[in-house]
Amino acid sequence: MADTPKNEKWRNDFPTPWNDDNYVTRREFTRFLVLTSGALTVGSGYFVVNRPRALAAERPESMAVATVDEIGVGEVKLFRFPTENDPAILMRLADDQYVAYRQRCSHLSCPVTYNHAQSRLNCPCHNGAFDAATGNVLFGPPPSPLPKIALKIEGAQIYATGWESEHPSL
Amino acid sequence: MNKIERDVRNAQRTQAISVLMIFVIILFLLQLWLLTISMEQFLGGENRLAMPTFLASLGCFGINLWLLRYVNGIDAVRGKEENHS
């Protein structure tokens, strides 16, 4: 069979001979990987430049989060403290016992949920659990306790006043 | 260069590119793992390993760039051979 003339228009769109296919696709894939490798390096650099927030050093303003009658024993109220980007959870463990924690798991920041029957906070992402009364890790991958929010009850109002736990960075 | 010779050269080039690609993939996966470590630490509120993982990742990228020179080198030789034929 005679060769197709070199000036065929379709050659502009398909310039690679079929027997060079493997060579060209692997070459292009390798180049793409090297480019992506650069992006991964930049991604790693992001974590050098941006340090995690040192919550223990923050002195947030006191904030009213609930009234004492608003939640029953075993119930929770979700709120934001100290900023709108910080989810927190207030729980009533007993008639006169209220506790509040940052609602982000200390492992990978998944939201934790309260289980009154087990008296613990569960993280569904990687099966971690925290003690509801202290915030300490019971089991699972979390490396540190949940940051505990200091509460103050004045009259019928519950206030979040700051951080109770002494974590270097949260 | 006759057809058989050209085919042999093509096969050699493809093999060389495949070996380079495997090295690049290994380094790429290593970088991905390093990034995962940094991210996991960051989300956990720490960043002790951020600098070491960044430097290791930078090293991998440097090696990848060095390997890319060979890819381009193979390509340049191929271009010359095609022009001659």
Side-chain angles (χ1 to χ4, degrees):
Chain A
M1 196 169 78
D3 278 349
T4 316
K6 293 242 174 186
N7 59 357
E8 289 275 359
K9 277 184 181 171
W10 58 266
R11 279 187 184 275
N12 292 330
D13 295 327
F14 304 99
T16 309
W18 68 268
N19 55 353
D20 267 359
D21 254 8
N22 280 344
Y23 170 78
V24 172
T25 52
R26 284 171 202 186
R27 181 194 66 193
E28 291 309 308
F29 182 58
T30 306
R31 283 179 176 162
F32 171 75
L33 278 184
V34 173
L35 186 70
T36 317
S37 156
L40 288 178
T41 308
V42 173
S44 290
Y46 172 86
F47 297 109
V48 175
V49 176
N50 291 287
R51 295 183 168 275
R53 283 170 61 197
L55 291 190
E58 291 180 5
R59 295 283 171 264
E61 284 184 20
S62 188
M63 189 176 109
V65 293
T67 57
V68 288
D69 298 328
E70 200 175 329
I71 55 173
V73 174
E75 291 179 354
V76 302
K77 182 177 181 187
L78 302 178
F79 63 104
R80 305 271 169 170
F81 180 81
T83 70
E84 272 302 303
N85 297 322
D86 298 303
I89 182 167
L90 171 71
M91 301 170 295
R92 188 172 186 178
L93 305 182
D95 276 343
D96 57 349
Q97 190 184 9
Y98 296 86
V99 286
Y101 299 98
R102 193 176 196 218
Q103 208 202 352
R104 286 183 177 169
C105 177
S106 57
H107 177 220
L108 289 179
S109 296
C110 288
V112 293
T113 55
Y114 177 52
N115 185 315
H116 184 63
Q118 296 172 318
S119 187
R120 67 189 190 203
L121 289 142
N122 295 316
C123 176
C125 290
H126 303 97
N127 200 26
F130 302 87
D131 182 65
T134 61
N136 289 334
V137 181
L138 293 175
F139 57 82
S144 56
L146 277 182
K148 196 171 186 181
I149 296 170
L151 296 176
K152 187 173 74 177
I153 299 175
E154 277 184 2
Q157 196 73 48
I158 303 169
Y159 294 90
T161 58
W163 300 105
E164 209 172 273
S165 42
E166 296 286 327
H167 297 293
S169 58
L170 306 166
Chain B
M1 191 185 287
N2 63 33
K3 188 180 179 308
I4 295 171
E5 213 173 329
R6 199 165 55 229
D7 285 350
V8 169
R9 296 286 284 164
N10 272 344
Q12 284 175 334
R13 270 195 293 266
T14 305
Q15 203 162 11
I17 286 281
S18 303
V19 171
L20 288 170
M21 186 182 72
I22 288 166
F23 277 116
V24 171
I25 287 174
I26 290 169
L27 290 167
F28 176 83
L29 291 175
L30 183 64
Q31 281 188 290
L32 206 58
W33 178 66
L34 290 167
L35 183 70
T36 312
I37 291 175
S38 298
M39 193 182 295
E40 195 159 321
Q41 277 233 320
F42 183 84
L43 291 175
E46 285 186 39
N47 74 338
R48 278 176 300 149
L49 290 176
M51 186 53 92
T53 51
F54 170 67
L55 292 176
S57 189
L58 195 64
C60 290
F61 179 52
I63 297 170
N64 274 342
L65 281 178
W66 180 65
L67 291 173
L68 188 65
R69 282 181 59 228
Y70 287 98
V71 174
N72 292 337
I74 292 168
D75 224 24
V77 172
R78 176 174 168 262
K80 275 182 196 166
E81 283 178 4
E82 278 184 4
N83 285 340
H84 284 178
S85 63

